[in-house]
Amino acid sequence: MSRHTAGIEWSRDGHPFVDNRYSRAHRWRFDGGVVVPASSSPSVVPLPMSSAEAIDPEEAFVASLAACHMLWFLSLAARRGYCIDGYDDDAVGEMGRDETGALAMLRVTLRPRVRFGGANVPDAATHEELHHQAHAHCFLASSVKTAIECRPELIAR
């Protein structure tokens, strides 16, 4: 089993706090020294108490699911002898109220576009199957109750 850590840093910086109008801007620290500006989403906490330029937890959640799917897809494609020249995804997360009335990420839709290189290009059915297998292997997708849809686009050369 592996462990994964992230450091979260926030400071009031002398500003008022109990009026609930404090800045939600903070930093995420990852191993290797990467520091990412983060904030609450402006859709949850209005500007200027949040930062539109920073990553919010909802975006990070969607990106994590999309990245996990992509990494599995690339691995499975390589094992099958398919050369991938490019992969991009404009994933979308939809927030709403769940069956208990709690605010939750209800659905994440992945929309990967894969560019294959070389002569060995899968047909549409095989392409879909590779995405299905990637979803089944993605341990992040297996860890959440959010519905995750994958709508891949096979790009013809």
Side-chain angles (χ1 to χ4, degrees), residues 55-67:
I55 293 172
D56 61 62
E58 297 85 354
E59 291 170 327
F61 180 81
V62 172
S64 295
L65 290 168

Side-chain angles (χ1 to χ4, degrees), residues 90-104:
D90 293 316
V92 176
E94 298 173 33
M95 295 282 290
R97 301 278 174 192
D98 68 10
E99 63 279 353
T100 69
L103 194 57

Side-chain angles (χ1 to χ4, degrees), residues 42-82:
S43 68
V44 176
V45 177
L47 299 169
M49 295 172 292
S50 61
S51 172
E53 296 82 26
I55 293 172
D56 61 62
E58 297 85 354
E59 291 170 327
F61 180 81
V62 172
S64 295
L65 290 168
C68 186
H69 181 92
M70 178 197 70
L71 292 168
W72 275 109
F73 182 89
L74 296 176
S75 175
L76 293 165
R79 287 186 215 168
R80 291 252 197 109
Y82 297 115

Side-chain angles (χ1 to χ4, degrees), residues 6-146:
I8 307 298
E9 301 170 349
W10 175 87
S11 176
R12 183 170 62 87
D13 292 329
H15 297 290
F17 183 76
V18 296
D19 64 357
N20 206 29
R21 297 190 54 77
Y22 57 90
S23 173
R24 273 55 169 195
H26 57 284
R27 290 164 300 288
W28 295 350
R29 283 182 296 98
F30 297 95
D31 60 357
V34 174
V35 177
V36 178
S39 175
S40 58
S41 170
S43 68
V44 176
V45 177
L47 299 169
M49 295 172 292
S50 61
S51 172
E53 296 82 26
I55 293 172
D56 61 62
E58 297 85 354
E59 291 170 327
F61 180 81
V62 172
S64 295
L65 290 168
C68 186
H69 181 92
M70 178 197 70
L71 292 168
W72 275 109
F73 182 89
L74 296 176
S75 175
L76 293 165
R79 287 186 215 168
R80 291 252 197 109
Y82 297 115
C83 179
I84 307 292
D85 283 344
Y87 183 113
D88 62 89
D89 188 346
D90 293 316
V92 176
E94 298 173 33
M95 295 282 290
R97 301 278 174 192
D98 68 10
E99 63 279 353
T100 69
L103 194 57
M105 187 69 69
L106 300 177
R107 174 176 313 285
V108 172
T109 302
L110 308 179
R111 296 181 303 203
R113 288 173 301 280
V114 182
R115 288 185 317 281
F116 290 88
N120 189 17
V121 177
D123 60 23
T126 303
H127 181 240
E128 291 275 345
E129 178 57 26
L130 283 167
H131 282 288
H132 178 75
Q133 289 176 8
H135 179 71
H137 281 85
C138 177
F139 36 84
L140 293 180
S142 299
S143 301
V144 299
K145 63 181 181 178
T146 300

